[in-house]
Amino acid sequence: MVELLPRLRIELPPAGRRLDPATLFADQPAGIWLEIGFGDGEHLAWQAAANPNIGLIGAEPYVNGVASLLSRIASPALNNVRILDDDVRPLLAALTPASLQRVFVLFPDPWPKTRHHRRRIVNDDTLVTLAHLMSPGAELRLATDDRDYARAILFHMQQQSAFQWLARRP
């Protein structure tokens, strides 16, 4: 973690400045994918190995998850991953419009207590921001195993005209 994270860590630009995510990679990637809350990094590492021409950005505030991802991508050395070891919202505010071709939000914390619902990452504000950051034809992949959060996600998605529902089954 001490050696690898500094090479892969995303440094946010000063307030008001934009970050073109393609510039984070030495080789020009065919596309940029973002995983919000990558947990232990299993899915992100798998995507990086399966799609070496794609630049993958992972955002995760918990150090144990970041450490787990680093161990997964260290060997084999996956050079197409960059990490924000913090809350994703400042990164979203800095990214250039239409710069993401795919976004994953897989099994986010459901914050089941009503008083905590405002902390959920899938909400109207985040979806409006993602719609601005995603290129035409980009994919937003959402998954949850919490029935109440699934209902909330569907409710918020129905409020957004920028997204088209393509799922054919649960």
Side-chain angles (χ1 to χ4, degrees), residues 62-137:
Y62 298 106
V63 69
N64 289 348
V66 173
S68 177
L69 173 64
L70 290 170
S71 69
R72 293 175 189 278
I73 65 173
S75 181
L78 297 174
N79 297 316
N80 60 332
V81 175
R82 296 298 178 268
I83 300 169
L84 178 69
D85 54 334
D86 204 344
D87 186 321
V88 73
R89 285 172 277 224
L91 175 64
L92 296 178
L95 291 175
T96 54
S99 60
L100 303 174
Q101 286 71 49
R102 188 171 292 170
V103 176
F104 301 95
V105 185
L106 306 176
F107 304 97
D109 189 332
W111 295 103
K113 294 181 181 176
T114 303
R115 70 177 184 262
H116 294 153
H117 284 184
R118 62 183 167 75
R119 296 182 180 177
R120 290 177 169 176
I121 192 67
V122 181
N123 59 47
D124 291 335
D125 291 339
T126 302
L127 292 173
V128 167
T129 299
L130 288 176
H132 179 68
L133 296 176
M134 297 172 72
S135 63

Side-chain angles (χ1 to χ4, degrees), residues 6-44:
R7 289 191 293 123
L8 303 180
R9 179 181 277 135
I10 296 172
E11 298 295 332
L12 296 174
R17 304 285 300 258
R18 291 288 184 179
L19 172 65
D20 178 354
T23 64
L24 299 170
F25 302 91
D27 297 326
Q28 182 69 27
I32 303 292
W33 297 357
L34 169 67
E35 185 164 348
I36 298 173
F38 58 76
D40 70 358
E42 182 179 6
H43 176 261
L44 184 61

Side-chain angles (χ1 to χ4, degrees), residues 133-146:
L133 296 176
M134 297 172 72
S135 63
E139 292 181 26
L140 173 58
R141 296 187 179 183
L142 302 166
T144 184
D145 54 3
D146 184 278

